[in-house]
Amino acid sequence: MSNAFDAPHFQSQEGAREWLEKTRWPEGPVCSHCGAFNHAYKTKKPGWYRCAEPECRKDFTVTTGTVMERSHIALNKWLMAFYLMSSSKKGVSAHQLHRALGLDYKSAWFMCHRIREAMRPDDDPGTDPLGGRGKIVEADETYFGEVEESRKRTKTRYGLPYTKGGKSGPSNKRAVVSLVERGGRVRSFHPATADGETVTGIVLDNIRRESRLHTDESRLYMFPGSEFKAHETVTHSHGEYVRGDVHTNSVEGYFSIFKRGMKGTYQHCKEKHLHRYLAEFDFRYNNRVALGIGDIERTINAVKGVDGKRLMYRQPY
Ligand SMILES: [Zn+2]
């Protein structure tokens, strides 16, 4: 039986660099400083190029300006980690990478977050919304894990808890709002509170108005719902889950993958990192087998996301 890790790019630093160059630069090196395409020459230092643009002349490698820049972890281990995180449905924890790749735990932990960052879409909110003419977008919210102590609500502390299905809601749980285009992509959010104003903003910014919006009976969607071609609901509190083609099964399916993964793999996720984990689960869902994307292509898509994201890691975690 052939092993995925037999591929040359998992074997050595050199093999990994060659593969990365072919994947990121299929038609020649791109200067990470000025963007010049295929106008650089190799230097004596392996993997290093010098930009031939007279105003630039800077040196770069295939990892300059990426999440892998200046990492002391060998590139083939990076690619193994990309592969493991891209190919396992529930994700891979820093502990698993620490053991599987022989890295110290802290390095493995940073590596996981950097790979998540590569998986995060780099489009600005509001660009390339979901849905469109003849399409259905399902929206729903769920709650996962406790909010940080300082944000906990009490009777004397701000406001009423938000509600789910008309009942008093899980006010001290972390809210997640997800939008799923049926048969297509997901986009997830972790707002500080899933109140009417926040949810309205998320829904209106991220779904095309020509879409049909499917939700449960929650009041959160009533106001933004009127903006769409149709807003159709199923009444979960009355045991109604499907009516014709109206349902929220896709978004609920997404939540169940997310929750199983979080419980099984990432039990101790801090709230400030939750949006990163959502980006990871969104990425795998948006590159899933049902959309014709296998493990290798999914890994390549994750690796291609490394462009221009290095600055993000200067923030303290
Ligand atoms: Zn340049």
Side-chain angles (χ1 to χ4, degrees), residues 25 29-34 36-62 64:
W25 297 336
V30 181
C31 172
S32 55
H33 305 286
C34 71
F37 166 65
N38 214 359
H39 196 211
Y41 50 88
K42 283 190 170 177
T43 70
K44 283 180 188 158
K45 247 162 84 186
W48 283 88
Y49 293 78
R50 180 157 300 157
C51 183
E53 289 295 315
E55 311 82 67
C56 181
R57 295 261 161 200
K58 286 181 181 146
D59 291 353
F60 61 94
T61 74
V62 72
T64 307

PDB file of all heavy atoms in Angstrom, residues 25 29-34 36-62 64:
ATOM      1  N   TRP A  25       4.672  28.818  -7.652  1.00  0.00           N
ATOM      2  CA  TRP A  25       5.188  29.549  -8.815  1.00  0.00           C
ATOM      3  C   TRP A  25       5.165  28.666 -10.052  1.00  0.00           C
ATOM      4  O   TRP A  25       6.227  28.357 -10.620  1.00  0.00           O
ATOM      5  CB  TRP A  25       6.644  29.959  -8.573  1.00  0.00           C
ATOM      6  CG  TRP A  25       6.905  30.886  -7.444  1.00  0.00           C
ATOM      7  CD1 TRP A  25       6.056  31.764  -6.851  1.00  0.00           C
ATOM      8  CD2 TRP A  25       8.181  31.043  -6.765  1.00  0.00           C
ATOM      9  NE1 TRP A  25       6.703  32.451  -5.858  1.00  0.00           N
ATOM     10  CE2 TRP A  25       8.004  32.036  -5.786  1.00  0.00           C
ATOM     11  CE3 TRP A  25       9.427  30.439  -6.924  1.00  0.00           C
ATOM     12  CZ2 TRP A  25       9.039  32.431  -4.943  1.00  0.00           C
ATOM     13  CZ3 TRP A  25      10.466  30.838  -6.097  1.00  0.00           C
ATOM     14  CH2 TRP A  25      10.274  31.830  -5.109  1.00  0.00           C
ATOM     15  N   PRO A  29       9.438  32.198 -10.744  1.00  0.00           N
ATOM     16  CA  PRO A  29       9.419  32.854  -9.440  1.00  0.00           C
ATOM     17  C   PRO A  29       8.741  34.227  -9.463  1.00  0.00           C
ATOM     18  O   PRO A  29       8.815  34.939 -10.456  1.00  0.00           O
ATOM     19  CB  PRO A  29      10.905  32.995  -9.095  1.00  0.00           C
ATOM     20  CG  PRO A  29      11.636  32.845 -10.371  1.00  0.00           C
ATOM     21  CD  PRO A  29      10.806  31.979 -11.251  1.00  0.00           C
ATOM     22  N   VAL A  30       8.080  34.542  -8.371  1.00  0.00           N
ATOM     23  CA  VAL A  30       7.437  35.852  -8.228  1.00  0.00           C
ATOM     24  C   VAL A  30       8.118  36.556  -7.068  1.00  0.00           C
ATOM     25  O   VAL A  30       8.180  36.015  -5.957  1.00  0.00           O
ATOM     26  CB  VAL A  30       5.932  35.693  -7.930  1.00  0.00           C
ATOM     27  CG1 VAL A  30       5.261  37.061  -7.813  1.00  0.00           C
ATOM     28  CG2 VAL A  30       5.253  34.849  -8.997  1.00  0.00           C
ATOM     29  N   CYS A  31       8.650  37.747  -7.299  1.00  0.00           N
ATOM     30  CA  CYS A  31       9.343  38.479  -6.238  1.00  0.00           C
ATOM     31  C   CYS A  31       8.336  38.853  -5.157  1.00  0.00           C
ATOM     32  O   CYS A  31       7.309  39.471  -5.428  1.00  0.00           O
ATOM     33  CB  CYS A  31      10.012  39.725  -6.803  1.00  0.00           C
ATOM     34  SG  CYS A  31      10.688  40.779  -5.498  1.00  0.00           S
ATOM     35  N   SER A  32       8.660  38.479  -3.922  1.00  0.00           N
ATOM     36  CA  SER A  32       7.720  38.751  -2.834  1.00  0.00           C
ATOM     37  C   SER A  32       7.790  40.205  -2.388  1.00  0.00           C
ATOM     38  O   SER A  32       6.971  40.651  -1.597  1.00  0.00           O
ATOM     39  CB  SER A  32       8.017  37.831  -1.657  1.00  0.00           C
ATOM     40  OG  SER A  32       9.361  37.990  -1.288  1.00  0.00           O
ATOM     41  N   HIS A  33       8.776  40.949  -2.888  1.00  0.00           N
ATOM     42  CA  HIS A  33       8.909  42.357  -2.486  1.00  0.00           C
ATOM     43  C   HIS A  33       8.170  43.280  -3.444  1.00  0.00           C
ATOM     44  O   HIS A  33       7.424  44.155  -3.017  1.00  0.00           O
ATOM     45  CB  HIS A  33      10.386  42.745  -2.419  1.00  0.00           C
ATOM     46  CG  HIS A  33      11.192  41.843  -1.535  1.00  0.00           C
ATOM     47  ND1 HIS A  33      11.100  41.900  -0.160  1.00  0.00           N
ATOM     48  CD2 HIS A  33      12.048  40.839  -1.828  1.00  0.00           C
ATOM     49  CE1 HIS A  33      11.903  40.963   0.351  1.00  0.00           C
ATOM     50  NE2 HIS A  33      12.470  40.311  -0.640  1.00  0.00           N
ATOM     51  N   CYS A  34       8.395  43.100  -4.771  1.00  0.00           N
ATOM     52  CA  CYS A  34       7.775  44.024  -5.719  1.00  0.00           C
ATOM     53  C   CYS A  34       6.767  43.334  -6.626  1.00  0.00           C
ATOM     54  O   CYS A  34       6.102  43.991  -7.424  1.00  0.00           O
ATOM     55  CB  CYS A  34       8.844  44.722  -6.557  1.00  0.00           C
ATOM     56  SG  CYS A  34       9.634  43.633  -7.758  1.00  0.00           S
ATOM     57  N   ALA A  36       7.367  41.337  -9.110  1.00  0.00           N
ATOM     58  CA  ALA A  36       7.859  41.066 -10.472  1.00  0.00           C
ATOM     59  C   ALA A  36       7.753  39.568 -10.752  1.00  0.00           C
ATOM     60  O   ALA A  36       8.114  38.741  -9.916  1.00  0.00           O
ATOM     61  CB  ALA A  36       9.298  41.536 -10.627  1.00  0.00           C
ATOM     62  N   PHE A  37       7.266  39.251 -11.958  1.00  0.00           N
ATOM     63  CA  PHE A  37       7.012  37.852 -12.307  1.00  0.00           C
ATOM     64  C   PHE A  37       8.092  37.338 -13.243  1.00  0.00           C
ATOM     65  O   PHE A  37       8.393  37.976 -14.256  1.00  0.00           O
ATOM     66  CB  PHE A  37       5.624  37.772 -12.958  1.00  0.00           C
ATOM     67  CG  PHE A  37       5.374  36.481 -13.660  1.00  0.00           C
ATOM     68  CD1 PHE A  37       5.314  35.292 -12.951  1.00  0.00           C
ATOM     69  CD2 PHE A  37       5.212  36.458 -15.033  1.00  0.00           C
ATOM     70  CE1 PHE A  37       5.101  34.095 -13.609  1.00  0.00           C
ATOM     71  CE2 PHE A  37       4.995  35.263 -15.691  1.00  0.00           C
ATOM     72  CZ  PHE A  37       4.936  34.077 -14.982  1.00  0.00           C
ATOM     73  N   ASN A  38       8.674  36.206 -12.859  1.00  0.00           N
ATOM     74  CA  ASN A  38       9.671  35.539 -13.679  1.00  0.00           C
ATOM     75  C   ASN A  38      10.806  36.480 -14.106  1.00  0.00           C
ATOM     76  O   ASN A  38      11.236  36.453 -15.258  1.00  0.00           O
ATOM     77  CB  ASN A  38       9.011  34.912 -14.913  1.00  0.00           C
ATOM     78  CG  ASN A  38       9.728  33.619 -15.300  1.00  0.00           C
ATOM     79  OD1 ASN A  38      10.705  33.219 -14.667  1.00  0.00           O
ATOM     80  ND2 ASN A  38       9.250  32.976 -16.350  1.00  0.00           N
ATOM     81  N   HIS A  39      11.247  37.319 -13.216  1.00  0.00           N
ATOM     82  CA  HIS A  39      12.340  38.226 -13.518  1.00  0.00           C
ATOM     83  C   HIS A  39      13.291  38.251 -12.324  1.00  0.00           C
ATOM     84  O   HIS A  39      13.411  39.242 -11.613  1.00  0.00           O
ATOM     85  CB  HIS A  39      11.786  39.629 -13.825  1.00  0.00           C
ATOM     86  CG  HIS A  39      12.783  40.510 -14.513  1.00  0.00           C
ATOM     87  ND1 HIS A  39      12.808  41.876 -14.359  1.00  0.00           N
ATOM     88  CD2 HIS A  39      13.807  40.210 -15.354  1.00  0.00           C
ATOM     89  CE1 HIS A  39      13.801  42.370 -15.074  1.00  0.00           C
ATOM     90  NE2 HIS A  39      14.416  41.387 -15.683  1.00  0.00           N
ATOM     91  N   ALA A  40      13.906  37.097 -12.107  1.00  0.00           N
ATOM     92  CA  ALA A  40      14.803  36.943 -10.959  1.00  0.00           C
ATOM     93  C   ALA A  40      15.796  35.861 -11.315  1.00  0.00           C
ATOM     94  O   ALA A  40      15.538  35.037 -12.191  1.00  0.00           O
ATOM     95  CB  ALA A  40      14.018  36.529  -9.727  1.00  0.00           C
ATOM     96  N   TYR A  41      16.960  35.881 -10.698  1.00  0.00           N
ATOM     97  CA  TYR A  41      17.916  34.802 -10.943  1.00  0.00           C
ATOM     98  C   TYR A  41      18.284  34.124  -9.652  1.00  0.00           C
ATOM     99  O   TYR A  41      18.183  34.702  -8.563  1.00  0.00           O
ATOM    100  CB  TYR A  41      19.140  35.309 -11.702  1.00  0.00           C
ATOM    101  CG  TYR A  41      19.780  36.545 -11.114  1.00  0.00           C
ATOM    102  CD1 TYR A  41      20.755  36.446 -10.129  1.00  0.00           C
ATOM    103  CD2 TYR A  41      19.388  37.820 -11.560  1.00  0.00           C
ATOM    104  CE1 TYR A  41      21.330  37.585  -9.586  1.00  0.00           C
ATOM    105  CE2 TYR A  41      19.955  38.959 -11.022  1.00  0.00           C
ATOM    106  CZ  TYR A  41      20.937  38.841 -10.036  1.00  0.00           C
ATOM    107  OH  TYR A  41      21.487  39.960  -9.497  1.00  0.00           O
ATOM    108  N   LYS A  42      18.707  32.872  -9.798  1.00  0.00           N
ATOM    109  CA  LYS A  42      19.093  32.089  -8.628  1.00  0.00           C
ATOM    110  C   LYS A  42      20.394  32.635  -8.068  1.00  0.00           C
ATOM    111  O   LYS A  42      21.294  33.001  -8.825  1.00  0.00           O
ATOM    112  CB  LYS A  42      19.287  30.630  -9.030  1.00  0.00           C
ATOM    113  CG  LYS A  42      17.986  29.889  -9.208  1.00  0.00           C
ATOM    114  CD  LYS A  42      18.214  28.393  -9.374  1.00  0.00           C
ATOM    115  CE  LYS A  42      16.863  27.688  -9.298  1.00  0.00           C
ATOM    116  NZ  LYS A  42      16.907  26.267  -9.497  1.00  0.00           N
ATOM    117  N   THR A  43      20.513  32.674  -6.764  1.00  0.00           N
ATOM    118  CA  THR A  43      21.780  33.060  -6.143  1.00  0.00           C
ATOM    119  C   THR A  43      22.524  31.781  -5.766  1.00  0.00           C
ATOM    120  O   THR A  43      22.017  30.675  -5.988  1.00  0.00           O
ATOM    121  CB  THR A  43      21.558  33.901  -4.880  1.00  0.00           C
ATOM    122  OG1 THR A  43      21.018  33.039  -3.869  1.00  0.00           O
ATOM    123  CG2 THR A  43      20.595  35.058  -5.125  1.00  0.00           C
ATOM    124  N   LYS A  44      23.693  31.933  -5.179  1.00  0.00           N
ATOM    125  CA  LYS A  44      24.462  30.740  -4.809  1.00  0.00           C
ATOM    126  C   LYS A  44      23.833  30.017  -3.625  1.00  0.00           C
ATOM    127  O   LYS A  44      24.041  28.828  -3.424  1.00  0.00           O
ATOM    128  CB  LYS A  44      25.904  31.141  -4.463  1.00  0.00           C
ATOM    129  CG  LYS A  44      26.719  31.421  -5.708  1.00  0.00           C
ATOM    130  CD  LYS A  44      28.140  31.816  -5.325  1.00  0.00           C
ATOM    131  CE  LYS A  44      28.898  32.278  -6.565  1.00  0.00           C
ATOM    132  NZ  LYS A  44      30.036  33.128  -6.225  1.00  0.00           N
ATOM    133  N   LYS A  45      23.078  30.763  -2.819  1.00  0.00           N
ATOM    134  CA  LYS A  45      22.442  30.143  -1.650  1.00  0.00           C
ATOM    135  C   LYS A  45      21.240  29.331  -2.120  1.00  0.00           C
ATOM    136  O   LYS A  45      20.349  29.891  -2.770  1.00  0.00           O
ATOM    137  CB  LYS A  45      21.974  31.241  -0.685  1.00  0.00           C
ATOM    138  CG  LYS A  45      22.745  31.241   0.644  1.00  0.00           C
ATOM    139  CD  LYS A  45      22.604  32.540   1.381  1.00  0.00           C
ATOM    140  CE  LYS A  45      21.369  32.690   2.230  1.00  0.00           C
ATOM    141  NZ  LYS A  45      21.212  34.015   2.808  1.00  0.00           N
ATOM    142  N   PRO A  46      21.185  28.053  -1.794  1.00  0.00           N
ATOM    143  CA  PRO A  46      20.088  27.221  -2.294  1.00  0.00           C
ATOM    144  C   PRO A  46      18.726  27.808  -1.910  1.00  0.00           C
ATOM    145  O   PRO A  46      18.517  28.187  -0.758  1.00  0.00           O
ATOM    146  CB  PRO A  46      20.301  25.869  -1.601  1.00  0.00           C
ATOM    147  CG  PRO A  46      21.678  25.898  -1.037  1.00  0.00           C
ATOM    148  CD  PRO A  46      22.100  27.319  -0.911  1.00  0.00           C
ATOM    149  N   GLY A  47      17.847  27.862  -2.873  1.00  0.00           N
ATOM    150  CA  GLY A  47      16.485  28.346  -2.617  1.00  0.00           C
ATOM    151  C   GLY A  47      16.335  29.850  -2.704  1.00  0.00           C
ATOM    152  O   GLY A  47      15.212  30.355  -2.685  1.00  0.00           O
ATOM    153  N   TRP A  48      17.457  30.595  -2.785  1.00  0.00           N
ATOM    154  CA  TRP A  48      17.369  32.053  -2.794  1.00  0.00           C
ATOM    155  C   TRP A  48      17.429  32.609  -4.213  1.00  0.00           C
ATOM    156  O   TRP A  48      18.241  32.183  -5.024  1.00  0.00           O
ATOM    157  CB  TRP A  48      18.487  32.666  -1.950  1.00  0.00           C
ATOM    158  CG  TRP A  48      18.198  32.562  -0.492  1.00  0.00           C
ATOM    159  CD1 TRP A  48      18.513  31.519   0.327  1.00  0.00           C
ATOM    160  CD2 TRP A  48      17.498  33.519   0.315  1.00  0.00           C
ATOM    161  NE1 TRP A  48      18.054  31.763   1.607  1.00  0.00           N
ATOM    162  CE2 TRP A  48      17.433  32.983   1.625  1.00  0.00           C
ATOM    163  CE3 TRP A  48      16.923  34.772   0.064  1.00  0.00           C
ATOM    164  CZ2 TRP A  48      16.815  33.657   2.675  1.00  0.00           C
ATOM    165  CZ3 TRP A  48      16.315  35.444   1.108  1.00  0.00           C
ATOM    166  CH2 TRP A  48      16.260  34.885   2.394  1.00  0.00           C
ATOM    167  N   TYR A  49      16.555  33.575  -4.463  1.00  0.00           N
ATOM    168  CA  TYR A  49      16.519  34.259  -5.749  1.00  0.00           C
ATOM    169  C   TYR A  49      16.812  35.745  -5.511  1.00  0.00           C
ATOM    170  O   TYR A  49      16.537  36.262  -4.431  1.00  0.00           O
ATOM    171  CB  TYR A  49      15.131  34.127  -6.388  1.00  0.00           C
ATOM    172  CG  TYR A  49      14.801  32.716  -6.799  1.00  0.00           C
ATOM    173  CD1 TYR A  49      14.393  31.779  -5.841  1.00  0.00           C
ATOM    174  CD2 TYR A  49      14.900  32.309  -8.123  1.00  0.00           C
ATOM    175  CE1 TYR A  49      14.101  30.474  -6.199  1.00  0.00           C
ATOM    176  CE2 TYR A  49      14.606  31.002  -8.496  1.00  0.00           C
ATOM    177  CZ  TYR A  49      14.210  30.092  -7.528  1.00  0.00           C
ATOM    178  OH  TYR A  49      13.926  28.801  -7.884  1.00  0.00           O
ATOM    179  N   ARG A  50      17.333  36.385  -6.556  1.00  0.00           N
ATOM    180  CA  ARG A  50      17.490  37.847  -6.471  1.00  0.00           C
ATOM    181  C   ARG A  50      16.655  38.472  -7.571  1.00  0.00           C
ATOM    182  O   ARG A  50      16.750  38.088  -8.736  1.00  0.00           O
ATOM    183  CB  ARG A  50      18.953  38.257  -6.625  1.00  0.00           C
ATOM    184  CG  ARG A  50      19.131  39.779  -6.542  1.00  0.00           C
ATOM    185  CD  ARG A  50      20.537  40.149  -6.134  1.00  0.00           C
ATOM    186  NE  ARG A  50      20.866  39.602  -4.819  1.00  0.00           N
ATOM    187  CZ  ARG A  50      22.115  39.384  -4.403  1.00  0.00           C
ATOM    188  NH1 ARG A  50      23.136  39.663  -5.184  1.00  0.00           N
ATOM    189  NH2 ARG A  50      22.339  38.887  -3.200  1.00  0.00           N
ATOM    190  N   CYS A  51      15.814  39.427  -7.162  1.00  0.00           N
ATOM    191  CA  CYS A  51      14.946  40.112  -8.108  1.00  0.00           C
ATOM    192  C   CYS A  51      15.806  40.886  -9.110  1.00  0.00           C
ATOM    193  O   CYS A  51      16.758  41.571  -8.733  1.00  0.00           O
ATOM    194  CB  CYS A  51      14.016  41.063  -7.356  1.00  0.00           C
ATOM    195  SG  CYS A  51      12.848  41.911  -8.414  1.00  0.00           S
ATOM    196  N   ALA A  52      15.457  40.791 -10.387  1.00  0.00           N
ATOM    197  CA  ALA A  52      16.246  41.469 -11.421  1.00  0.00           C
ATOM    198  C   ALA A  52      15.677  42.840 -11.787  1.00  0.00           C
ATOM    199  O   ALA A  52      16.202  43.522 -12.657  1.00  0.00           O
ATOM    200  CB  ALA A  52      16.321  40.576 -12.666  1.00  0.00           C
ATOM    201  N   GLU A  53      14.596  43.245 -11.127  1.00  0.00           N
ATOM    202  CA  GLU A  53      14.060  44.593 -11.361  1.00  0.00           C
ATOM    203  C   GLU A  53      15.057  45.607 -10.811  1.00  0.00           C
ATOM    204  O   GLU A  53      15.429  45.522  -9.632  1.00  0.00           O
ATOM    205  CB  GLU A  53      12.716  44.778 -10.634  1.00  0.00           C
ATOM    206  CG  GLU A  53      11.555  44.003 -11.224  1.00  0.00           C
ATOM    207  CD  GLU A  53      11.183  44.466 -12.621  1.00  0.00           C
ATOM    208  OE1 GLU A  53      11.117  45.696 -12.837  1.00  0.00           O
ATOM    209  OE2 GLU A  53      10.985  43.604 -13.480  1.00  0.00           O
ATOM    210  N   PRO A  54      15.475  46.585 -11.638  1.00  0.00           N
ATOM    211  CA  PRO A  54      16.512  47.527 -11.171  1.00  0.00           C
ATOM    212  C   PRO A  54      16.139  48.248  -9.876  1.00  0.00           C
ATOM    213  O   PRO A  54      17.008  48.481  -9.040  1.00  0.00           O
ATOM    214  CB  PRO A  54      16.629  48.521 -12.330  1.00  0.00           C
ATOM    215  CG  PRO A  54      16.025  47.850 -13.517  1.00  0.00           C
ATOM    216  CD  PRO A  54      15.048  46.842 -13.014  1.00  0.00           C
ATOM    217  N   GLU A  55      14.866  48.567  -9.671  1.00  0.00           N
ATOM    218  CA  GLU A  55      14.496  49.317  -8.455  1.00  0.00           C
ATOM    219  C   GLU A  55      14.347  48.399  -7.243  1.00  0.00           C
ATOM    220  O   GLU A  55      14.154  48.888  -6.124  1.00  0.00           O
ATOM    221  CB  GLU A  55      13.169  50.070  -8.613  1.00  0.00           C
ATOM    222  CG  GLU A  55      12.980  50.907  -9.848  1.00  0.00           C
ATOM    223  CD  GLU A  55      12.545  50.067 -11.044  1.00  0.00           C
ATOM    224  OE1 GLU A  55      11.422  49.539 -11.000  1.00  0.00           O
ATOM    225  OE2 GLU A  55      13.326  49.927 -12.001  1.00  0.00           O
ATOM    226  N   CYS A  56      14.383  47.100  -7.444  1.00  0.00           N
ATOM    227  CA  CYS A  56      14.113  46.187  -6.324  1.00  0.00           C
ATOM    228  C   CYS A  56      15.392  45.465  -5.901  1.00  0.00           C
ATOM    229  O   CYS A  56      15.956  45.750  -4.849  1.00  0.00           O
ATOM    230  CB  CYS A  56      13.020  45.201  -6.712  1.00  0.00           C
ATOM    231  SG  CYS A  56      12.596  44.049  -5.396  1.00  0.00           S
ATOM    232  N   ARG A  57      15.814  44.525  -6.709  1.00  0.00           N
ATOM    233  CA  ARG A  57      17.088  43.830  -6.467  1.00  0.00           C
ATOM    234  C   ARG A  57      17.135  43.089  -5.129  1.00  0.00           C
ATOM    235  O   ARG A  57      18.208  42.813  -4.610  1.00  0.00           O
ATOM    236  CB  ARG A  57      18.269  44.821  -6.515  1.00  0.00           C
ATOM    237  CG  ARG A  57      18.479  45.439  -7.867  1.00  0.00           C
ATOM    238  CD  ARG A  57      19.601  44.702  -8.561  1.00  0.00           C
ATOM    239  NE  ARG A  57      19.581  44.928  -9.993  1.00  0.00           N
ATOM    240  CZ  ARG A  57      20.180  44.120 -10.860  1.00  0.00           C
ATOM    241  NH1 ARG A  57      20.777  43.039 -10.432  1.00  0.00           N
ATOM    242  NH2 ARG A  57      20.140  44.374 -12.141  1.00  0.00           N
ATOM    243  N   LYS A  58      15.969  42.818  -4.574  1.00  0.00           N
ATOM    244  CA  LYS A  58      15.968  42.174  -3.257  1.00  0.00           C
ATOM    245  C   LYS A  58      15.996  40.657  -3.391  1.00  0.00           C
ATOM    246  O   LYS A  58      15.609  40.107  -4.419  1.00  0.00           O
ATOM    247  CB  LYS A  58      14.736  42.606  -2.468  1.00  0.00           C
ATOM    248  CG  LYS A  58      14.856  44.039  -1.961  1.00  0.00           C
ATOM    249  CD  LYS A  58      13.635  44.423  -1.155  1.00  0.00           C
ATOM    250  CE  LYS A  58      13.761  45.856  -0.672  1.00  0.00           C
ATOM    251  NZ  LYS A  58      12.460  46.517  -0.637  1.00  0.00           N
ATOM    252  N   ASP A  59      16.444  40.011  -2.324  1.00  0.00           N
ATOM    253  CA  ASP A  59      16.503  38.550  -2.301  1.00  0.00           C
ATOM    254  C   ASP A  59      15.225  37.979  -1.693  1.00  0.00           C
ATOM    255  O   ASP A  59      14.629  38.569  -0.803  1.00  0.00           O
ATOM    256  CB  ASP A  59      17.702  38.086  -1.459  1.00  0.00           C
ATOM    257  CG  ASP A  59      19.021  38.419  -2.143  1.00  0.00           C
ATOM    258  OD1 ASP A  59      18.982  38.871  -3.312  1.00  0.00           O
ATOM    259  OD2 ASP A  59      20.071  38.235  -1.507  1.00  0.00           O
ATOM    260  N   PHE A  60      14.845  36.831  -2.193  1.00  0.00           N
ATOM    261  CA  PHE A  60      13.657  36.166  -1.639  1.00  0.00           C
ATOM    262  C   PHE A  60      13.728  34.668  -1.888  1.00  0.00           C
ATOM    263  O   PHE A  60      14.514  34.201  -2.711  1.00  0.00           O
ATOM    264  CB  PHE A  60      12.374  36.751  -2.250  1.00  0.00           C
ATOM    265  CG  PHE A  60      12.268  36.589  -3.745  1.00  0.00           C
ATOM    266  CD1 PHE A  60      11.600  35.496  -4.301  1.00  0.00           C
ATOM    267  CD2 PHE A  60      12.837  37.522  -4.605  1.00  0.00           C
ATOM    268  CE1 PHE A  60      11.519  35.345  -5.681  1.00  0.00           C
ATOM    269  CE2 PHE A  60      12.751  37.371  -5.990  1.00  0.00           C
ATOM    270  CZ  PHE A  60      12.085  36.278  -6.528  1.00  0.00           C
ATOM    271  N   THR A  61      12.901  33.939  -1.149  1.00  0.00           N
ATOM    272  CA  THR A  61      12.737  32.493  -1.381  1.00  0.00           C
ATOM    273  C   THR A  61      11.239  32.243  -1.550  1.00  0.00           C
ATOM    274  O   THR A  61      10.434  33.169  -1.441  1.00  0.00           O
ATOM    275  CB  THR A  61      13.222  31.644  -0.183  1.00  0.00           C
ATOM    276  OG1 THR A  61      12.252  31.761   0.859  1.00  0.00           O
ATOM    277  CG2 THR A  61      14.581  32.093   0.323  1.00  0.00           C
ATOM    278  N   VAL A  62      10.896  30.995  -1.758  1.00  0.00           N
ATOM    279  CA  VAL A  62       9.482  30.651  -1.960  1.00  0.00           C
ATOM    280  C   VAL A  62       8.670  30.836  -0.670  1.00  0.00           C
ATOM    281  O   VAL A  62       7.448  30.857  -0.695  1.00  0.00           O
ATOM    282  CB  VAL A  62       9.353  29.212  -2.526  1.00  0.00           C
ATOM    283  CG1 VAL A  62       9.686  28.175  -1.454  1.00  0.00           C
ATOM    284  CG2 VAL A  62       7.979  28.954  -3.125  1.00  0.00           C
ATOM    285  N   THR A  64       9.376  33.528   1.516  1.00  0.00           N
ATOM    286  CA  THR A  64       9.420  34.930   1.954  1.00  0.00           C
ATOM    287  C   THR A  64       8.010  35.518   1.913  1.00  0.00           C
ATOM    288  O   THR A  64       7.291  35.344   0.919  1.00  0.00           O
ATOM    289  CB  THR A  64      10.345  35.759   1.035  1.00  0.00           C
ATOM    290  OG1 THR A  64      11.610  35.110   0.972  1.00  0.00           O
ATOM    291  CG2 THR A  64      10.529  37.169   1.579  1.00  0.00           C
TER     292      THR A  64
END
